[in-house]
Amino acid sequence: MEVGERKYFPNLPFGEYRLKFLGAFICNESINYPISYNYHLSRISKTKTVLTGKLIQRIPFDDSLNLHISAAVLDNIGGWKSNAFIHRRPNACLSLKNIMGEAWIPFLQSFNESISGCPVKPGNYTLNGFDLSLLEKSNFPKQYFYGTYKLKIQATDKKDDPDSCLFIVSEVVRPWEYNV
């Protein structure tokens, strides 16, 4: 097996999936991050969940920052097992745009055109209901391991100090389990 090659184990619960979003919250409320989020989820219908809230930026979100995404998976006894997935990239704004794929423009439009793209200038922004089902058009892997994940999304400076941090909790479920 070569470095970077993915190896899938057929006995593990793995395959095409749908995402059920369970929560969104700041990593540590006692830290005054230069980019802070006050996001929450709103369930519009049985199958539609939107992300709403406030974004306060005292610094620009641009490519001088690094993007760090890591996931912890909920284990059988109710604890979080860290490092189930790790993604670290320079150029935070461009990297986030690439990960979001076709969902990037609708995400920006959820801010009522007050954010037009990279870089995102300092300011106070209101997120008015980004439909999270649009993330199915993102560049996420099309198959993944089923389970409950706590995604930690951080932007860090060149010294690796966090400038923002957001947790998103979601379930990766089989497509036919989505409406259950």
Side-chain angles (χ1 to χ4, degrees):
M1 187 163 84
E2 296 196 23
V3 174
E5 182 180 342
R6 294 179 191 203
K7 184 172 184 179
Y8 299 117
F9 300 94
N11 59 337
L12 294 176
F14 173 88
E16 292 183 13
Y17 63 89
R18 299 283 309 269
L19 294 171
K20 278 187 177 179
F21 291 91
L22 306 176
F25 50 95
I26 194 165
C27 296
N28 187 340
E29 291 186 18
S30 65
I31 296 176
N32 190 14
Y33 295 105
I35 300 172
S36 63
Y37 312 96
N38 185 9
Y39 289 162
H40 56 276
L41 302 180
S42 296
R43 191 101 194 205
I44 303 301
S45 70
K46 190 174 182 179
T47 59
K48 186 174 179 180
T49 302
V50 296
L51 185 66
T52 60
K54 301 281 184 190
L55 166 64
I56 300 169
Q57 290 192 186
R58 291 188 300 284
I59 63 170
F61 180 73
D62 59 18
D63 287 339
S64 70
L65 301 174
N66 298 310
L67 182 66
H68 298 263
I69 301 173
S70 62
V73 64
L74 190 63
D75 65 20
N76 292 339
I77 58 172
W80 293 105
K81 192 172 208 170
S82 298
N83 301 329
F85 173 84
I86 298 173
H87 180 83
R88 298 173 69 102
R89 290 282 181 248
N91 306 322
C93 197
L94 181 60
S95 293
L96 184 61
K97 178 182 177 181
N98 289 338
I99 289 169
M100 291 189 72
E102 291 181 35
W104 177 250
I105 297 298
F107 177 68
L108 295 181
Q109 291 170 341
S110 297
F111 288 96
N112 289 337
E113 305 290 336
S114 57
I115 297 177
S116 59
C118 294
V120 179
K121 298 176 183 170
N124 296 340
Y125 302 99
T126 301
L127 181 62
N128 294 310
F130 172 63
D131 181 359
L132 292 168
S133 69
L134 294 173
L135 290 176
E136 292 177 8
K137 297 179 179 182
S138 71
N139 292 324
F140 294 166
K142 300 306 176 202
Q143 295 182 333
Y144 206 71
F145 298 96
Y146 304 119
T148 303
Y149 293 87
K150 181 168 63 171
L151 208 63
K152 183 178 185 180
I153 304 167
Q154 285 186 302
T156 63
D157 61 19
K158 295 299 179 198
K159 297 177 186 173
D160 224 21
D161 294 328
D163 286 333
S164 70
C165 190
L166 177 70
F167 281 125
I168 296 179
V169 179
S170 66
E171 285 183 293
V172 175
V173 298
R174 292 166 182 85
W176 57 88
E177 296 175 332
Y178 184 71
N179 293 326
V180 176

